[in-house]
Amino acid sequence: MTLRIGLLLALVVTAATPAIAVNPDEMVADAAREARARTISAEVRCMVCQNQSIDDSNAALAKDLRLLVRERITIGDSDEEVLAYLVDRYGEFVLLKPRVNGHTLLLWMSPVLLVLSAVATLVWMSLRRNGPPPPALSEDELAKLDDIVL
């Protein structure tokens, strides 16, 4: 029984780990350059899969991009230069985490704006519900009410 639980736990842990699509033939021999390439490729979106980094994707375009990143690092580009090259070539969409600039300001501010509008709506509804009490009934109105009820 314990062996079954252990095997099941090992299966669950193995299934929960992300599949890494980098093939051994793509890797750079220098460990420092390979580490840089892995860091950069984790920040770059696969244009086919769109919600995966090129490091995690098995698509042919992702492989080409991984090779391009390693080629640019081997040439001597810095991490910023490699990312700038990819952005110039494919646009800002290639980055999994877009940079904050004029074009992406609404994207970055939308969570804050959404929370502020929700808070403003709740305050407005609360004030409207708990507004001033209705005016008191006059003696004439109270008499009419007594006639209706009784």
Side-chain angles (χ1 to χ4, degrees):
M1 183 71 174
T2 312
L3 179 62
R4 285 185 184 178
I5 293 173
L7 288 174
L8 183 62
L9 183 61
L11 179 65
V12 168
V13 169
T14 304
T17 58
I20 302 199
V22 178
N23 298 322
D25 62 334
E26 300 173 16
M27 294 183 178
V28 181
D30 183 16
R33 287 183 180 170
E34 180 61 27
R36 283 182 53 211
R38 295 298 285 272
T39 302
I40 292 171
S41 63
E43 298 175 21
V44 177
R45 178 189 317 273
C46 174
M47 304 303 276
V48 175
C49 307
Q50 295 190 3
N51 269 346
Q52 285 184 324
S53 69
I54 61 171
D55 207 23
D56 297 331
S57 175
N58 286 323
L61 179 61
K63 179 180 180 175
D64 293 342
L65 288 173
R66 287 191 301 265
L67 292 172
L68 180 63
V69 166
R70 283 161 175 77
E71 176 185 318
R72 300 301 297 185
I73 288 174
T74 304
I75 290 172
D77 285 358
S78 69
D79 294 0
E80 293 79 24
E81 289 171 334
V82 173
L83 288 173
Y85 178 81
L86 292 172
V87 168
D88 288 343
R89 195 167 195 189
Y90 296 101
E92 192 80 23
F93 184 72
V94 79
L95 299 177
L96 277 172
K97 183 179 175 186
R99 298 174 180 149
V100 179
N101 59 32
H103 300 291
T104 60
L105 193 59
L106 181 61
L107 174 70
W108 285 103
M109 293 303 297
S110 60
V112 173
L113 295 174
L114 185 63
V115 168
L116 288 176
S117 66
V119 168
T121 302
L122 289 173
V123 167
W124 176 73
M125 289 175 64
S126 175
L127 290 176
R128 197 177 88 192
R129 184 181 318 148
N130 297 331
L137 296 176
S138 67
E139 292 295 326
D140 191 32
E141 292 170 332
L142 284 173
K144 287 180 184 177
L145 185 61
D146 282 340
D147 286 343
I148 294 173
V149 174
L150 297 174

